Coordinates of all heavy atoms in Angstrom, one line a residue:
M297 N 0.9 -1.2 0.0 CA 0.0 0.0 0.0 C 0.9 1.2 0.0 O 1.6 1.5 0.9 CB -0.9 0.0 1.3 CG -1.8 1.1 1.4 SD -3.1 0.8 2.6 CE -2.9 2.3 3.6
A298 N 0.8 2.0 -1.1 CA 1.6 3.2 -1.2 C 0.9 4.4 -0.6 O -0.3 4.6 -0.9 CB 1.9 3.5 -2.6
I299 N 1.5 5.2 0.2 CA 0.9 6.4 0.8 C 1.2 7.6 -0.1 O 2.3 7.8 -0.5 CB 1.5 6.6 2.2 CG1 1.1 5.5 3.1 CG2 1.0 7.9 2.7 CD1 1.7 5.6 4.5
S300 N 0.1 8.2 -0.5 CA 0.2 9.4 -1.3 C 0.8 10.6 -0.5 O 0.8 10.6 0.7 CB -1.2 9.8 -1.9 OG -2.0 10.3 -0.8
K301 N 1.3 11.6 -1.3 CA 1.9 12.7 -0.6 C 0.8 13.5 0.2 O 1.1 13.9 1.3 CB 2.4 13.7 -1.7 CG 3.7 13.2 -2.3 CD 4.2 14.2 -3.4 CE 5.4 13.7 -4.1 NZ 6.0 14.7 -5.0
K302 N -0.4 13.6 -0.3 CA -1.5 14.3 0.4 C -1.8 13.5 1.7 O -2.1 14.1 2.7 CB -2.7 14.4 -0.5 CG -3.8 15.3 0.1 CD -3.2 16.7 0.3 CE -4.3 17.7 0.7 NZ -3.7 19.1 0.8
Q303 N -1.9 12.1 1.6 CA -2.2 11.3 2.8 C -1.1 11.5 3.8 O -1.4 11.7 5.0 CB -2.3 9.8 2.4 CG -2.6 8.9 3.5 CD -4.0 9.1 4.1 OE1 -4.9 9.3 3.3 NE2 -4.1 9.0 5.4
A304 N 0.2 11.6 3.4 CA 1.2 11.8 4.4 C 1.1 13.1 5.0 O 1.3 13.3 6.3 CB 2.6 11.6 3.7
E305 N 0.8 14.2 4.3 CA 0.6 15.5 4.8 C -0.6 15.5 5.8 O -0.4 16.1 6.9 CB 0.3 16.5 3.7 CG 0.0 17.9 4.1 CD -0.4 18.8 3.0 OE1 -0.4 18.4 1.8 OE2 -0.9 19.9 3.3
L306 N -1.7 14.9 5.4 CA -2.8 14.9 6.3 C -2.6 14.1 7.6 O -3.1 14.4 8.7 CB -4.1 14.4 5.6 CG -4.5 15.3 4.4 CD1 -5.6 14.6 3.6 CD2 -5.1 16.6 4.9
D307 N -1.8 13.0 7.4 CA -1.4 12.2 8.6 C -0.6 13.0 9.6 O -0.8 12.9 10.8 CB -0.6 11.0 8.2 CG -1.5 9.9 7.6 OD1 -2.8 9.9 7.8 OD2 -1.0 8.9 7.0
R308 N 0.3 13.8 9.0 CA 1.1 14.7 9.9 C 0.3 15.7 10.7 O 0.4 15.9 11.9 CB 2.2 15.4 9.1 CG 3.2 16.3 9.9 CD 4.1 17.1 9.0 NE 3.5 17.8 7.9 CZ 2.8 19.0 8.1 NH1 2.7 19.5 9.3 NH2 2.3 19.6 7.1
I309 N -0.6 16.3 9.9 CA -1.5 17.3 10.5 C -2.4 16.6 11.6 O -2.6 17.2 12.7 CB -2.4 18.0 9.5 CG1 -1.5 18.9 8.6 CG2 -3.5 18.8 10.1 CD1 -2.2 19.4 7.3
K310 N -2.9 15.4 11.3 CA -3.7 14.7 12.2 C -2.9 14.3 13.4 O -3.5 14.4 14.6 CB -4.3 13.5 11.5 CG -5.3 12.7 12.3 CD -6.0 11.6 11.5 CE -5.1 10.7 10.7 NZ -5.7 9.6 10.1
W311 N -1.7 13.9 13.3 CA -0.8 13.5 14.4 C -0.6 14.7 15.3 O -0.7 14.6 16.5 CB 0.5 13.0 13.9 CG 1.5 12.6 15.0 CD1 2.4 13.4 15.5 CD2 1.5 11.4 15.6 NE1 3.0 12.7 16.5 CE2 2.5 11.5 16.6 CE3 0.8 10.2 15.5 CZ2 2.8 10.4 17.5 CZ3 1.1 9.1 16.4 CH2 2.1 9.3 17.3
E312 N -0.3 15.9 14.7 CA -0.1 17.1 15.5 C -1.3 17.5 16.3 O -1.2 17.8 17.5 CB 0.4 18.2 14.6 CG 1.8 18.0 14.1 CD 2.2 19.0 13.0 OE1 1.4 19.9 12.7 OE2 3.3 18.9 12.5
K313 N -2.5 17.4 15.7 CA -3.7 17.7 16.3 C -4.0 16.7 17.5 O -4.5 17.1 18.5 CB -4.9 17.7 15.4 CG -6.2 18.2 16.0 CD -7.3 18.3 14.9 CE -8.6 18.8 15.6 NZ -9.7 18.9 14.6
S314 N -3.7 15.4 17.2 CA -3.9 14.4 18.2 C -3.0 14.6 19.4 O -3.5 14.5 20.6 CB -3.6 13.0 17.6 OG -4.4 12.7 16.6
E315 N -1.8 15.1 19.2 CA -0.9 15.4 20.3 C -1.5 16.5 21.1 O -1.4 16.5 22.4 CB 0.5 15.8 19.8 CG 1.3 14.6 19.2 CD 1.8 13.7 20.2 OE1 2.4 14.2 21.3 OE2 1.7 12.5 20.1
K316 N -2.0 17.6 20.5 CA -2.5 18.7 21.2 C -3.8 18.3 22.0 O -4.0 18.8 23.1 CB -2.9 19.9 20.3 CG -1.6 20.6 19.7 CD -2.0 21.7 18.8 CE -0.7 22.3 18.2 NZ -1.1 23.3 17.1
M317 N -4.6 17.5 21.4 CA -5.9 17.1 22.0 C -5.7 16.0 23.1 O -6.5 15.9 23.9 CB -6.9 16.5 20.9 CG -7.4 17.5 19.9 SD -8.4 16.8 18.6 CE -9.6 15.9 19.5
G318 N -4.6 15.3 23.0 CA -4.4 14.2 23.9 C -5.2 12.9 23.6 O -5.3 12.1 24.4
K319 N -5.7 12.9 22.4 CA -6.5 11.7 21.9 C -6.4 11.7 20.4 O -6.0 12.7 19.7 CB -7.9 11.7 22.4 CG -8.7 12.9 21.9 CD -10.2 12.8 22.4 CE -11.0 13.9 21.8 NZ -12.4 13.7 22.2
D320 N -6.9 10.6 19.8 CA -6.8 10.4 18.3 C -7.8 11.5 17.7 O -8.9 11.6 18.0 CB -7.3 9.0 18.0 CG -7.1 8.7 16.5 OD1 -6.6 9.5 15.7 OD2 -7.5 7.6 16.1
A321 N -7.2 12.2 16.7 CA -8.0 13.2 16.0 C -8.7 12.7 14.8 O -9.4 13.5 14.1 CB -7.1 14.4 15.7
C322 N -8.6 11.4 14.5 CA -9.3 10.8 13.4 C -10.8 11.1 13.5 O -11.4 10.8 14.5 CB -9.0 9.3 13.3 SG -9.7 8.5 11.9
G323 N -11.3 11.6 12.4 CA -12.8 11.9 12.4 C -13.2 13.3 12.9 O -14.4 13.6 12.9
T324 N -12.2 14.1 13.2 CA -12.5 15.4 13.7 C -12.4 16.6 12.7 O -12.7 17.7 13.0 CB -11.6 15.8 14.9 OG1 -10.2 15.8 14.4 CG2 -11.7 14.8 16.0
F325 N -12.0 16.2 11.4 CA -11.8 17.2 10.4 C -13.1 17.3 9.6 O -13.9 16.3 9.5 CB -10.6 16.9 9.5 CG -9.3 16.9 10.3 CD1 -8.8 15.8 10.9 CD2 -8.6 18.1 10.4 CE1 -7.7 15.8 11.6 CE2 -7.4 18.1 11.1 CZ -6.9 17.0 11.7
D326 N -13.3 18.4 8.9 CA -14.5 18.6 8.1 C -14.7 17.5 7.0 O -15.7 17.0 6.7 CB -14.6 20.0 7.4 CG -14.8 21.1 8.4 OD1 -15.2 20.9 9.6 OD2 -14.4 22.3 8.1
Y327 N -13.6 17.2 6.4 CA -13.6 16.3 5.3 C -13.8 14.8 5.7 O -14.1 13.9 4.9 CB -12.3 16.4 4.5 CG -11.0 16.1 5.2 CD1 -10.5 14.9 5.5 CD2 -10.3 17.2 5.7 CE1 -9.3 14.7 6.2 CE2 -9.1 17.0 6.4 CZ -8.6 15.7 6.7 OH -7.5 15.6 7.4
C328 N -13.8 14.6 7.0 CA -14.0 13.2 7.5 C -15.4 12.7 7.2 O -15.6 11.4 7.3 CB -13.7 13.1 9.0 SG -11.9 13.4 9.4
V329 N -16.3 13.5 6.9 CA -17.7 13.1 6.6 C -17.6 12.2 5.3 O -18.5 11.4 5.1 CB -18.7 14.2 6.5 CG1 -18.8 15.0 7.8 CG2 -18.3 15.2 5.4
K330 N -16.6 12.4 4.5 CA -16.5 11.7 3.2 C -15.6 10.5 3.3 O -15.3 9.8 2.3 CB -15.9 12.6 2.1 CG -16.8 13.8 1.8 CD -18.0 13.4 1.0 CE -18.7 14.6 0.5 NZ -19.8 14.3 -0.4
C331 N -15.1 10.2 4.5 CA -14.1 9.1 4.7 C -14.7 7.7 4.6 O -15.8 7.4 5.2 CB -13.5 9.3 6.1 SG -12.1 8.2 6.4
D332 N -13.9 6.9 4.0 CA -14.2 5.4 3.9 C -12.9 4.8 4.3 O -11.9 4.7 3.5 CB -14.6 5.0 2.6 CG -14.9 3.5 2.5 OD1 -14.7 2.8 3.5 OD2 -15.3 3.0 1.4
K333 N -12.8 4.4 5.6 CA -11.5 3.8 6.1 C -11.1 2.5 5.5 O -9.9 2.1 5.7 CB -11.6 3.7 7.7 CG -11.8 5.0 8.4 CD -11.8 4.8 9.9 CE -12.1 6.2 10.5 NZ -12.2 6.0 12.0
E334 N -11.9 1.9 4.7 CA -11.6 0.7 4.0 C -10.7 0.9 2.8 O -10.1 0.0 2.3 CB -12.8 -0.1 3.6 CG -13.7 -0.5 4.8 CD -13.1 -1.5 5.7 OE1 -12.4 -2.4 5.2 OE2 -13.2 -1.3 7.0
K335 N -10.7 2.2 2.3 CA -10.0 2.5 1.1 C -8.5 2.8 1.4 O -8.2 3.1 2.5 CB -10.6 3.8 0.4 CG -12.0 3.5 -0.2 CD -12.5 4.7 -0.9 CE -13.8 4.4 -1.5 NZ -14.3 5.6 -2.3
E336 N -7.7 2.7 0.3 CA -6.3 3.1 0.4 C -6.2 4.6 0.5 O -7.0 5.3 -0.3 CB -5.6 2.5 -0.8 CG -4.1 2.7 -0.7 CD -3.3 2.0 -1.9 OE1 -4.0 1.5 -2.8 OE2 -2.1 2.0 -1.8
N337 N -5.4 5.2 1.3 CA -5.3 6.6 1.5 C -6.6 7.3 1.8 O -7.1 8.2 1.1 CB -4.6 7.2 0.2 CG -3.2 6.7 -0.1 OD1 -2.4 6.7 0.8 ND2 -3.0 6.3 -1.3
P338 N -7.3 6.8 2.8 CA -8.6 7.3 3.1 C -8.7 8.8 3.3 O -9.7 9.5 2.9 CB -9.1 6.6 4.3 CG -7.8 6.2 5.0 CD -6.8 5.9 3.9
C339 N -7.8 9.4 4.0 CA -7.8 10.9 4.3 C -7.7 11.7 3.0 O -8.4 12.6 2.8 CB -6.7 11.3 5.3 SG -6.9 10.5 6.9
D340 N -6.8 11.2 2.1 CA -6.5 11.9 0.8 C -7.8 11.8 0.0 O -8.3 12.8 -0.5 CB -5.4 11.1 0.1 CG -5.1 11.7 -1.3 OD1 -5.7 12.8 -1.6 OD2 -4.3 11.2 -2.0
K341 N -8.5 10.6 -0.1 CA -9.7 10.5 -0.9 C -10.8 11.3 -0.3 O -11.6 11.9 -1.0 CB -10.1 9.0 -1.0 CG -9.1 8.3 -1.9 CD -9.6 6.9 -2.2 CE -8.9 6.2 -3.2 NZ -7.5 5.9 -3.0
A342 N -10.9 11.3 1.1 CA -12.0 12.1 1.7 C -11.8 13.6 1.5 O -12.7 14.3 1.2 CB -12.0 11.8 3.2
Y343 N -10.5 14.0 1.6 CA -10.2 15.4 1.5 C -10.5 15.9 0.0 O -11.1 16.9 -0.2 CB -8.7 15.7 1.8 CG -8.3 17.1 1.6 CD1 -8.4 18.0 2.7 CD2 -7.7 17.6 0.4 CE1 -7.9 19.3 2.6 CE2 -7.3 18.9 0.3 CZ -7.4 19.7 1.4 OH -7.0 21.0 1.2
T344 N -10.1 15.1 -0.9 CA -10.4 15.4 -2.3 C -11.9 15.4 -2.6 O -12.4 16.4 -3.3 CB -9.7 14.4 -3.3 OG1 -8.3 14.4 -3.0 CG2 -9.9 14.7 -4.7
A345 N -12.6 14.5 -2.1 CA -14.1 14.4 -2.4 C -14.8 15.6 -1.7 O -15.7 16.2 -2.3 CB -14.7 13.1 -1.8
Y346 N -14.3 16.0 -0.5 CA -15.0 17.0 0.3 C -14.7 18.4 -0.4 O -15.6 19.3 -0.4 CB -14.4 17.1 1.7 CG -15.1 18.1 2.6 CD1 -16.3 17.9 3.1 CD2 -14.4 19.3 2.9 CE1 -16.9 18.8 3.9 CE2 -15.0 20.3 3.7 CZ -16.3 20.0 4.2 OH -16.9 20.9 5.0
N347 N -13.5 18.6 -1.0 CA -13.2 19.9 -1.6 C -13.4 19.9 -3.1 O -13.1 20.9 -3.7 CB -11.7 20.2 -1.3 CG -11.5 20.5 0.2 OD1 -12.0 21.4 0.7 ND2 -10.7 19.6 0.8
K348 N -14.0 18.9 -3.6 CA -14.3 18.9 -5.1 C -15.4 19.9 -5.4 O -16.4 20.0 -4.7 CB -14.8 17.5 -5.5 CG -15.0 17.3 -6.9 CD -15.5 15.9 -7.2 CE -15.7 15.7 -8.7 NZ -16.1 14.4 -9.0
K349 N -15.1 20.7 -6.4 CA -16.1 21.7 -6.8 C -17.2 21.0 -7.6 O -17.0 20.1 -8.4 CB -15.5 22.8 -7.8 CG -14.4 23.6 -7.0 CD -13.8 24.6 -7.9 CE -12.8 25.4 -7.2 NZ -12.1 26.3 -8.1
P350 N -18.5 21.4 -7.3 CA -19.6 20.8 -8.0 C -19.5 21.1 -9.5 O -19.2 22.2 -9.9 CB -20.8 21.4 -7.4 CG -20.4 22.6 -6.6 CD -18.9 22.4 -6.4
A351 N -19.9 20.1 -10.3 CA -19.9 20.4 -11.8 C -21.0 21.4 -12.1 O -22.1 21.3 -11.6 CB -20.2 19.0 -12.5
Q352 N -20.7 22.3 -13.0 CA -21.6 23.3 -13.4 C -22.5 22.7 -14.5 O -22.0 22.1 -15.4 CB -20.9 24.6 -13.9 CG -20.2 25.3 -12.8 CD -19.5 26.6 -13.3 OE1 -19.5 26.8 -14.5 NE2 -19.0 27.4 -12.5
K353 N -23.8 23.0 -14.3 CA -24.7 22.5 -15.4 C -24.7 23.5 -16.5 O -24.6 24.7 -16.3 CB -26.1 22.5 -14.8 CG -26.3 21.4 -13.7 CD -27.7 21.4 -13.2 CE -27.9 20.3 -12.1 NZ -29.2 20.3 -11.6
K354 N -24.7 23.0 -17.7 CA -24.8 23.9 -18.9 C -26.2 24.4 -19.0 O -27.1 23.7 -19.0 CB -24.4 23.1 -20.1 CG -22.9 22.7 -20.1 CD -22.5 22.1 -21.4 CE -21.0 21.7 -21.4 NZ -20.6 21.1 -22.7
A355 N -26.3 25.7 -19.1 CA -27.6 26.3 -19.3 C -28.1 26.1 -20.7 O -27.3 26.2 -21.7 CB -27.5 27.8 -19.0
K356 N -29.3 25.8 -20.8 CA -30.0 25.6 -22.1 C -30.2 27.0 -22.7 O -30.6 27.9 -22.0 CB -31.3 24.9 -22.0 CG -31.1 23.5 -21.6 CD -32.5 22.8 -21.5 CE -32.4 21.4 -21.1 NZ -33.7 20.7 -21.0
K357 N -29.9 27.1 -24.0 CA -30.1 28.4 -24.6 C -31.5 28.4 -25.1 O -32.0 27.5 -25.8 CB -29.1 28.6 -25.8 CG -27.7 28.7 -25.4 CD -26.8 29.0 -26.6 CE -25.4 29.1 -26.2 NZ -24.5 29.4 -27.3
E358 N -32.2 29.5 -24.8 CA -33.6 29.6 -25.2 C -33.7 30.8 -26.1 O -33.1 31.8 -25.9 CB -34.5 29.9 -24.0 CG -34.6 28.6 -23.1 CD -35.5 28.9 -21.9 OE1 -36.4 29.7 -22.0 OE2 -35.4 28.1 -20.9
V359 N -34.5 30.6 -27.1 CA -34.7 31.7 -28.1 C -36.0 32.3 -27.7 O -37.1 31.6 -27.7 CB -34.7 31.2 -29.5 CG1 -35.0 32.3 -30.5 CG2 -33.4 30.5 -29.9
A360 N -36.0 33.6 -27.4 CA -37.2 34.3 -27.0 C -37.6 35.4 -28.0 O -36.7 36.1 -28.5 CB -37.1 34.8 -25.6
V361 N -38.8 35.5 -28.3 CA -39.2 36.6 -29.2 C -39.6 37.8 -28.3 O -40.4 37.7 -27.4 CB -40.5 36.2 -30.0 CG1 -40.9 37.4 -30.9 CG2 -40.2 35.0 -30.8
T362 N -38.9 38.9 -28.5 CA -39.1 40.1 -27.7 C -40.1 41.0 -28.4 O -40.3 41.0 -29.6 CB -37.8 40.8 -27.3 OG1 -37.3 41.3 -28.6 CG2 -36.8 39.9 -26.7
A363 N -40.6 41.9 -27.6 CA -41.5 42.9 -28.1 C -40.8 43.8 -29.2 O -41.3 44.2 -30.2 CB -42.1 43.8 -27.0
D364 N -39.5 44.1 -28.9 CA -38.7 44.9 -29.8 C -38.6 44.3 -31.2 O -38.8 45.0 -32.2 CB -37.3 45.1 -29.3 CG -37.2 46.1 -28.1 OD1 -38.2 46.8 -27.9 OD2 -36.2 46.0 -27.4
K365 N -38.4 43.0 -31.3 CA -38.3 42.4 -32.6 C -39.7 42.4 -33.3 O -39.7 42.6 -34.5 CB -37.9 40.9 -32.4 CG -36.4 40.8 -32.0 CD -36.0 39.4 -31.9 CE -34.5 39.3 -31.5 NZ -34.1 37.9 -31.4
E366 N -40.7 42.3 -32.6 CA -42.1 42.3 -33.2 C -42.3 43.7 -33.7 O -42.9 43.9 -34.8 CB -43.1 41.9 -32.2 CG -43.1 40.4 -31.8 CD -44.0 40.0 -30.7 OE1 -44.8 40.9 -30.3 OE2 -43.9 38.9 -30.2
V367 N -41.9 44.8 -32.9 CA -42.2 46.1 -33.3 C -41.4 46.4 -34.6 O -41.8 47.1 -35.5 CB -41.8 47.1 -32.2 CG1 -41.9 48.6 -32.7 CG2 -42.8 46.9 -31.0
K368 N -40.1 46.0 -34.6 CA -39.2 46.3 -35.7 C -39.8 45.6 -37.0 O -39.8 46.2 -38.1 CB -37.8 45.7 -35.5 CG -37.0 46.6 -34.5 CD -35.7 46.0 -34.3 CE -34.9 46.8 -33.2 NZ -33.6 46.2 -32.9
A369 N -40.3 44.4 -36.8 CA -40.9 43.7 -38.0 C -42.1 44.5 -38.5 O -42.4 44.6 -39.7 CB -41.3 42.3 -37.6
T370 N -42.9 45.0 -37.6 CA -44.1 45.8 -37.9 C -43.7 47.1 -38.7 O -44.3 47.4 -39.6 CB -44.9 46.1 -36.7 OG1 -45.2 44.9 -36.0 CG2 -46.2 46.8 -37.1
K371 N -42.7 47.8 -38.2 CA -42.2 49.0 -38.8 C -41.7 48.8 -40.2 O -42.0 49.6 -41.1 CB -41.1 49.7 -38.0 CG -41.7 50.3 -36.7 CD -40.5 51.0 -35.9 CE -41.0 51.6 -34.6 NZ -39.9 52.1 -33.8
K372 N -41.0 47.7 -40.4 CA -40.5 47.4 -41.7 C -41.6 47.1 -42.7 O -41.5 47.5 -43.9 CB -39.6 46.2 -41.7 CG -38.2 46.4 -41.0 CD -37.4 45.2 -41.0 CE -36.1 45.4 -40.3 NZ -35.3 44.2 -40.2
T373 N -42.6 46.5 -42.3 CA -43.7 46.1 -43.2 C -44.7 47.3 -43.4 O -45.4 47.3 -44.4 CB -44.5 44.9 -42.7 OG1 -45.0 45.2 -41.4 CG2 -43.7 43.7 -42.7
C374 N -44.6 48.3 -42.5 CA -45.6 49.4 -42.7 C -44.9 50.7 -43.1 O -45.4 51.8 -42.8 CB -46.3 49.6 -41.3 SG -47.3 48.3 -40.8
K375 N -43.7 50.6 -43.8 CA -43.0 51.8 -44.2 C -43.9 52.5 -45.2 O -44.5 51.9 -46.1 CB -41.6 51.5 -44.7 CG -40.7 51.1 -43.7 CD -39.3 51.0 -44.3 CE -38.3 50.7 -43.2 NZ -36.9 50.5 -43.8
K376 N -43.8 53.9 -45.2 CA -44.5 54.7 -46.2 C -43.6 55.2 -47.3 O -42.5 55.4 -47.2 CB -45.2 55.9 -45.5 CG -46.3 55.4 -44.5 CD -46.9 56.7 -44.0 CE -48.0 56.2 -43.0 NZ -48.6 57.3 -42.4

């Protein structure tokens, strides 16, 4: 099992927090809600999933007929 760079970094941060708290800090970070401890590099995967930007939905282009277009069409047909 290879430890990723991000997992090693998060492990170090978790270790330091554990030392300050006097107990295991596993599960105390915001990204822990995405954690699956059965996976390889669980903190890395949870951190990435938690901080992933949601995909933007592509807006549908709608063609609308405006009053201006209707007026212009009327003026063109009614020229004197």
